Amino acid sequence: MNPVRSADFPVDGRSVAAARTFVADASSGHPRRDDAVLLVSEVATNAILYGSVNGAEAFRVIIRPSPARIYAAVVDAGGDGPPTMRHHAADAEHGRGLEIVDLVASTWGVVPVGTGHRVWFELLTRSTWRNGRRR
């Protein structure tokens, strides 16, 4: 069993890079590492922009890589409601974070945690697919 790793990051724009580095190190050598780094970047950005309105000073990143998958989550202190995927105009410069998560992740979701949210995703490796379907 691979250990779960977690780290807290300040609610600050510079923390997105630190969260990416944390995930890259924790998933080193995994075939879905780059996807995990991308998605954590998107979800951590959302945690900073929208999930810290309750005066939170930090958000948490959780990761558990295994040979078959990477599970990761970002936990924030809450915002004006649960994170939702919105559709934007083709020329919009922002707001596509959860759309990217939806396109890249094998599965994902949002779970309430106290006043906040846990936005999680799972990235399956090819070995966990059979006949074009997830096992």
Side-chain angles (χ1 to χ4, degrees):
M1 181 179 280
N2 291 11
V4 174
R5 294 180 59 189
S6 66
D8 293 336
F9 299 93
V11 175
D12 180 287
R14 295 172 292 197
S15 292
V16 174
R20 282 194 303 260
T21 299
F22 170 72
V23 168
D25 291 346
S27 59
S28 180
H30 197 282
R32 300 290 312 263
R33 173 184 180 233
D34 292 344
D35 291 335
V37 170
L38 169 67
L39 298 188
V40 161
S41 179
E42 295 297 333
V43 179
T45 298
N46 286 350
I48 292 168
L49 294 175
Y50 310 113
S52 60
V53 298
N54 293 333
E57 296 182 6
F59 63 93
R60 175 168 287 171
V61 175
I62 302 164
I63 184 165
R64 182 175 182 199
S66 71
R69 65 186 41 89
I70 292 177
Y71 169 87
V74 175
V75 182
D76 65 39
D80 292 332
T84 57
M85 189 168 50
R86 295 181 180 99
H87 299 285
H88 295 80
D91 61 348
E93 294 183 16
H94 303 285
R96 289 194 175 85
L98 290 179
E99 286 183 69
I100 294 169
V101 172
D102 191 57
L103 287 170
V104 176
S106 303
T107 188
W108 70 279
V110 179
V111 178
V113 177
T115 62
H117 311 96
R118 176 190 298 238
V119 179
W120 62 270
F121 61 85
E122 197 170 53
L123 298 162
L124 301 177
T125 61
R126 282 238 185 255
S127 64
T128 59
W129 291 74
R130 185 183 319 164
N131 298 330
R133 297 180 176 216
R134 294 180 196 150
R135 285 192 209 175

